Amino acid sequence: MASFKRLTQVMLSGASFAALAACGASDIASPGTGGNVTINNVTPAPTPTPTPTPTTVAAASGCPTILDPQGLTDSGTISGPTGSYRVCTLPSVIRTSITLPKITGLVYAMNGRVNVGCDGGFTAPTAAAPVTSTTVGCTTPLTADTNVTLTINPGVILFGNTGQSWLAVNRGNKISAIGTAAAPIVFTSRDNILGLNDDTSQGQWGGVVLLGRGVTTDCNVGSVASNTCERDTEGAADLARFGGTNNAYDAGRMSYVQIRYSGFVLGANRELQALTTEAIGTGTTLDHIQSHNSSDDGAEFFGGGVNLKYYIATGADDDSLDVDTGAQMNVQYALLLPRSGRGDALFEIDSNGLETDTPRTRLNVVNWTAIQPVASADNEANDLAAGLFRGNSDTTLANGILLSPNNECIRMNGSGATPATLAARSVVLQCNATKYLGSGTLTAAQVAAAFATGTNFNSDAFTPSLTSVFINGANETAVTGFNATALSTFFDATTWIGAVRNSTDTWYAGWACNSATVNFGTGSTSCTSLPTT
């Protein structure tokens, strides 16, 4: 498993991604030599567009009225470089469906754990089978789901007022956080509001956790054999339980959302990450989500059925994409871009070492670009390669670009009667001379055979020609793509590799924030600042 994180650590300042520049299932959290990535710059270089001076925001006069009986608490104002804001603090348990409107000069605060509804248990409670919720503050036995929906309007900013602040959308409840490309929803930290952050800041609050009734493995309660398996959110002082039998479970929707500077330690060696899904189902809609500078994984997905499109992980300090405990996951259009010299693996896929548990973790990831330009001390000490595939897991990589010129590209660990499997279709690699690592019952030669360079349009000797860090150039365009609809109807049919087809493909523009790791264009604001419109 990935090593636990240190609250105090020496932060390495890396080269900017403009020059090009990983947790195991035991954590909700965690803790070579070769060629160079080649960037084709425009000649002559265009004159940079000046960053406009941000608008100074004036604090709103008060907090809006919401339907929840406890209401919002007016916590005064907070000021930073972009102006002053009225702080409206959410209740610890949201008991009625509410909407958080976008109001200029107003931000919403989470002062500790904020629960969306009460936990309704493994299956929806009934009068004949009431449930005593595990959620603190929910003491009355439930005879039906509380069915609370937290609606967050486009452009809303929410922040963790303390390190241990986090949002828990409990079983039997939903989130509706639907931003737009021009007005993304921003979850961030108090320090970000105050203007104290730089490009190394991380771990300043918890994150967003969606809990569902999908199938999971590695039980804290019940068993896989009896279809009663549940898990507890690791590190949470109070229970936040997930699991059930419904891989179509609907936890709501999150679209055009940034989650910045997350990953505070909740308990012994356990940190949250920007987004954690826990046994949600395919009824949940997740798209256009950016995780920025999470001190743990960019996002981690435990169990259930998960579909995700348009995912960006910038600056993750552990794994950029972590999938485990029986998750059945599809991902399309992903940019995995850790800070230079930081982070563990770009991918870590496993099932916590319980090889007999089923279902096996399954990941299909299609149209992705993952770049680890500089060797990372975290990776050298833990996962050892840019992609780690192990445990009870089956992974298909398609239409992908993995650039890790100073590191091995793929490591697989074999254990159990049926070791982890890997299939690749139209995937190109740039690695150091070793390229592949095997451990456990798998050898490096077996890992190389699984990738199968020279077949299925795969290559482990690729020379990249990306522009602006992540946009396909001539060499990427020349690779024949794979029609991933054969894997799942969730996928769009594409004829190209990589996350961004060419300069006209701008799905990331406007809603993702800019940093030293990567610049998404003048339409995007800086991650260290706040949108002012």
Side-chain angles (χ1 to χ4, degrees), residues 152-155 175-181 183-187 252-258 285-290 309-310 511:
I152 305 171
N153 282 354
I175 188 170
S176 178
I178 306 174
T180 67
I185 292 165
V186 178
F187 289 89
R253 178 176 174 182
M254 295 182 69
S255 300
Y256 293 100
V257 172
Q258 300 174 15
T285 300
L286 299 173
D287 64 83
H288 296 88
I289 294 175
Q290 181 187 15
K309 276 182 180 171
Y310 304 111
W511 65 272

Side-chain angles (χ1 to χ4, degrees), residues 2-6 9-12 14 22 31-32 316-318 338-345 372-385 404 406-408:
S3 67
F4 64 83
K5 292 297 188 189
R6 303 169 296 281
Q9 53 184 315
V10 176
M11 303 303 298
L12 302 178
D317 208 45
D318 195 7
R339 277 178 289 152
S340 185
R342 301 296 305 176
D344 196 344
Q372 192 176 55
V374 178
S376 162
D378 284 341
N379 186 255
E380 293 296 330
N382 296 294
D383 288 355
L384 304 178
S404 188
N406 295 292
N407 199 7
E408 296 80 14

Side-chain angles (χ1 to χ4, degrees), residues 110 165-168 205-209 259 262-264 272-276:
M110 294 169 282
S165 299
W166 56 293
L167 183 69
W205 68 292
V208 177
V209 180
I259 309 175
S262 63
F264 191 84
L272 291 170
Q273 43 271 312
L275 175 65
T276 306

Side-chain angles (χ1 to χ4, degrees), residues 17 57 166 246 401:
F17 248 119
V57 175
W166 56 293
N246 181 14
I401 301 167

Side-chain angles (χ1 to χ4, degrees), residues 274-324:
L275 175 65
T276 306
T277 73
E278 301 182 324
I280 65 168
T282 54
T284 308
T285 300
L286 299 173
D287 64 83
H288 296 88
I289 294 175
Q290 181 187 15
S291 163
H292 178 67
N293 277 28
S294 170
S295 68
D296 194 58
D297 302 318
E300 186 165 11
F301 304 89
F302 292 85
V306 189
N307 289 330
L308 170 63
K309 276 182 180 171
Y310 304 111
Y311 168 62
I312 298 173
T314 49
D317 208 45
D318 195 7
D319 310 314
S320 293
L321 178 66
D322 196 335
V323 184
D324 37 43

Side-chain angles (χ1 to χ4, degrees), residues 5 32 91 103-104 117 124 150 182 206 225 273 322 356 403 434 464 514:
K5 292 297 188 189
I103 297 174
T104 301
L150 171 62
Q273 43 271 312
D322 196 335
T356 59
L403 307 181
T434 301
N514 295 329

Side-chain angles (χ1 to χ4, degrees), residues 351-435:
S351 271
N352 201 25
L354 297 183
E355 312 308 332
T356 59
D357 273 8
T358 56
R360 291 168 65 92
T361 299
R362 177 191 57 74
L363 170 67
N364 297 319
V365 57
V366 175
N367 290 106
W368 50 275
T369 302
I371 305 175
Q372 192 176 55
V374 178
S376 162
D378 284 341
N379 186 255
E380 293 296 330
N382 296 294
D383 288 355
L384 304 178
L388 173 60
F389 308 92
R390 63 180 175 184
N392 196 10
S393 66
D394 302 299
T395 301
T396 297
L397 304 176
N399 296 341
I401 301 167
L402 193 161
L403 307 181
S404 188
N406 295 292
N407 199 7
E408 296 80 14
C409 280
I410 298 174
R411 175 187 165 207
M412 296 181 68
N413 182 71
S415 58
T418 307
T421 67
L422 175 67
R425 301 289 184 271
S426 300
V427 176
V428 297
L429 310 177
Q430 184 189 39
C431 325
N432 69 11
T434 301
K435 299 183 182 180

